[in-house]
Amino acid sequence: MVEIEARKEAASRSARLNAVFAALADPTRRAIIERLSRGEARVTEVAEPFHMSLNAVSKHIRVLEASGVVERHRKGRDHILSVNTRSLDEVDGWIERTRRYWERRLDAMERLLRELKKDHKLGPKDRKHGSK
Amino acid sequence: MVEIEARKEAASRSARLNAVFAALADPTRRAIIERLSRGEARVTEVAEPFHMSLNAVSKHIRVLEASGVVERHRKGRDHILSVNTRSLDEVDGWIERTRRYWERRLDAMERLLRELKKDHKLGPKDRKHGSK
């Protein structure tokens, strides 16, 4: 049972990542997130700077809401939009994990290069370069 | 001219982000990146764990290459794949920037809550809780 629960959790995490990455793959949707990252705003305020119909912007907002990146709450008559940073945390965590291995390898390579440089400080190539 | 260059650069950065996010929006492609994040590998090695044809996996690899996340080089007869972490840096940078504002707001809210807690330490609610 525990394994089934763990698999379900992994599957829903994967589905969330699919939705968030797909939501971020559009420049208009990224611009909406950038706007909301400076502060929550009404739907009409978010739509204003774009050269497209309110309907077209609303479609993008719905994609963002479905992915969990953007949240909507009501304040009187207004629909207020805000960014849910926790959804971005998950994406960021994924990138971080996959990058760590390479960073370690690059660090090791850098150390090796530094060691080689130190050993060859008076080597032929360096002298040639220095005599120019 | 400088402005045109800056705009071109912004446009191509935006196009790269579109491609990288779209590439990451698929679980098979993420699994391929996870595999390669543990070390570079041949195409056939990458394809092995997936329950799909080599052709299907190759299509996913081509999407990853087009986005710049995965690179291919030849070693004799083999095609070796590796992750280009710089492409992930760009994506990570974008997420980081949009998140910063909200983190600052949450930090400010947390400070405010802590102040309020301190001021109300001997308030009616706290005392009631304490006498239980």
Side-chain angles (χ1 to χ4, degrees):
Chain A
M1 276 299 271
V2 173
E3 206 194 325
I4 291 172
E5 284 304 310
R7 255 191 238 168
K8 266 192 200 161
E9 168 56 25
S12 70
R13 198 185 315 126
S14 182
R16 280 199 303 273
L17 283 173
N18 293 350
V20 173
F21 280 128
L24 296 178
D26 179 274
T28 303
R29 291 198 289 268
R30 285 200 303 278
I32 292 171
I33 298 173
E34 282 169 23
R35 167 63 190 88
L36 292 175
S37 79
R38 293 196 300 274
E40 57 178 32
R42 286 196 292 272
V43 173
T44 46
E45 286 172 328
V46 168
E48 212 208 86
F50 297 105
H51 298 290
M52 49 175 89
S53 68
L54 183 63
N55 190 40
V57 176
S58 289
K59 269 187 195 164
H60 282 303
I61 292 172
R62 278 199 293 276
V63 173
L64 288 167
E65 284 184 81
S67 75
V69 177
V70 163
E71 286 176 337
R72 182 194 295 249
H73 67 272
R74 292 190 82 155
K75 215 180 237 176
R77 281 187 195 186
D78 292 326
H79 288 251
I80 309 287
L81 302 172
S82 60
V83 170
N84 172 15
T85 46
R86 250 178 302 175
S87 64
L88 295 178
D89 282 348
E90 205 160 43
V91 160
D92 210 24
W94 185 86
I95 291 173
E96 208 46 56
R97 275 195 305 282
T98 55
R99 211 169 42 172
R100 216 166 294 151
Y101 167 84
W102 286 96
E103 271 169 6
R104 272 201 302 269
R105 277 197 64 172
L106 288 171
D107 285 351
M109 221 191 286
E110 216 173 71
R111 267 197 303 279
L112 190 67
L113 280 171
R114 233 179 286 136
E115 290 293 316
L116 283 170
K117 240 180 168 176
K118 215 163 53 183
D119 290 349
H120 289 267
K121 239 187 184 151
L122 295 169
K125 273 210 176 156
D126 259 73
R127 255 181 288 152
K128 196 178 157 196
H129 205 78
S131 68
K132 249 195 171 175
Chain B
M1 274 302 270
V2 174
E3 206 194 326
I4 291 171
E5 284 305 310
R7 255 190 239 168
K8 265 192 201 161
E9 168 56 25
S12 70
R13 196 186 315 127
S14 182
R16 281 200 302 275
L17 283 173
N18 292 350
V20 173
F21 280 128
L24 296 177
D26 180 274
T28 303
R29 291 198 289 267
R30 284 200 304 278
I32 292 171
I33 297 173
E34 281 168 23
R35 166 66 189 85
L36 293 175
S37 79
R38 293 196 299 274
E40 56 178 33
R42 286 195 293 272
V43 173
T44 46
E45 287 172 327
V46 169
E48 213 209 85
F50 297 104
H51 299 288
M52 49 175 92
S53 68
L54 183 62
N55 190 38
V57 176
S58 288
K59 269 186 195 165
H60 282 304
I61 291 171
R62 276 199 295 276
V63 172
L64 288 167
E65 285 183 83
S67 75
V69 177
V70 163
E71 286 175 336
R72 181 194 295 250
H73 66 272
R74 293 189 79 153
K75 215 181 237 174
R77 280 188 199 188
D78 291 326
H79 288 250
I80 309 288
L81 301 173
S82 60
V83 169
N84 171 16
T85 46
R86 249 177 304 175
S87 65
L88 294 179
D89 282 348
E90 205 160 44
V91 160
D92 211 24
W94 185 86
I95 291 173
E96 209 44 59
R97 274 194 306 282
T98 55
R99 211 170 43 173
R100 215 167 296 152
Y101 168 84
W102 286 96
E103 272 169 5
R104 273 202 302 269
R105 276 196 64 172
L106 288 172
D107 286 351
M109 221 191 288
E110 216 172 72
R111 269 198 302 278
L112 190 68
L113 280 171
R114 233 178 286 136
E115 290 293 315
L116 283 169
K117 240 180 168 175
K118 216 162 53 181
D119 290 349
H120 288 267
K121 239 186 184 150
L122 296 170
K125 273 207 174 157
D126 258 75
R127 255 182 287 152
K128 198 178 155 195
H129 205 77
S131 67
K132 251 193 168 174

